[in-house]
Amino acid sequence: MDALDQRIISHLVADARASYAEIGAEVGLSAPAVKRRVDKLLDLGVLQGFTAVVDPEALGWGTEAFVEVHCNGNVPAHRIRTGLEPLPEVVAAYTVSGQADAIVHLRAANIHHLEEAMERLRSVEFVSRTVSTVVLSRLLERQPQPD
């Protein structure tokens, strides 16, 4: 990946709907050259796709929490993932260092819905306990930018 690829990625992060011609005009390449580079970045897995960014509150899922998940014994990451996938309120999950085995990001319609989701999370067979932090406001969210 070179400096042109990084500039193309920056443009796509800022506006994934920009045409190859628009991006090419900014980086000094033709539209077909930009397309070839984007295709290469997709093939390499640098770009993983294109998506719409939706405000969760507009969809009625404005309540969120981060939950430390502590497991019974040594539970492999793939098993944690398998246990969390059926829960639609889980929007992200990560294995972590420290006392918790995983951190789970939950979104729900309201605090009652969040409580129900947390109860279902606690009922997953390998979960021994959870520690929850409810989000009061989102201060900053950004996509990673190339250097």
Side-chain angles (χ1 to χ4, degrees), residues 115-135:
E115 182 179 23
E116 290 173 353
M118 288 170 46
E119 288 172 4
R120 283 185 276 112
L121 173 61
R122 284 192 294 270
S123 73
V124 173
E125 61 158 316
F126 53 77
V127 175
S128 63
R129 71 183 180 97
T130 62
V131 178
S132 306
T133 303
V134 175
V135 174

Side-chain angles (χ1 to χ4, degrees), residues 1-13 23-28 145-147:
M1 192 167 75
D2 62 17
L4 279 174
D5 290 333
Q6 291 178 345
R7 290 178 62 202
I8 291 168
I9 292 168
S10 292
H11 283 281
L12 288 171
V13 168
I23 295 169
E26 292 291 321
V27 301
Q145 294 280 335
D147 293 333

Side-chain angles (χ1 to χ4, degrees), residues 1-146:
M1 192 167 75
D2 62 17
L4 279 174
D5 290 333
Q6 291 178 345
R7 290 178 62 202
I8 291 168
I9 292 168
S10 292
H11 283 281
L12 288 171
V13 168
D15 181 7
R17 293 180 57 183
S19 70
Y20 295 140
E22 291 169 330
I23 295 169
E26 292 291 321
V27 301
L29 293 174
S30 68
V34 171
K35 182 187 182 323
R36 282 192 299 275
R37 284 176 175 260
V38 168
D39 288 346
K40 181 181 104 188
L41 292 167
L42 285 164
D43 289 343
L44 293 171
V46 174
L47 292 174
Q48 297 180 348
F50 304 91
T51 187
V53 178
V54 178
D55 178 2
E57 287 188 50
L59 298 178
W61 287 64
T63 303
E64 60 187 314
F66 289 91
V67 182
E68 292 182 9
V69 174
H70 299 261
C71 298
N72 295 314
N74 187 13
V75 179
H78 74 273
R79 189 162 163 234
I80 295 172
R81 179 185 175 142
T82 300
L84 298 175
E85 282 179 326
L87 306 173
E89 297 86 358
V90 174
V91 295
Y94 311 91
T95 55
V96 294
S97 62
Q99 293 184 355
D101 294 290
I103 299 290
V104 174
H105 184 189
L106 295 175
R107 287 199 189 274
N110 53 46
I111 202 73
H112 178 70
H113 181 196
L114 182 64
E115 182 179 23
E116 290 173 353
M118 288 170 46
E119 288 172 4
R120 283 185 276 112
L121 173 61
R122 284 192 294 270
S123 73
V124 173
E125 61 158 316
F126 53 77
V127 175
S128 63
R129 71 183 180 97
T130 62
V131 178
S132 306
T133 303
V134 175
V135 174
L136 299 177
S137 62
R138 281 184 271 151
L139 300 176
L140 178 66
E141 284 184 322
R142 63 174 71 148
Q143 291 294 313
Q145 294 280 335

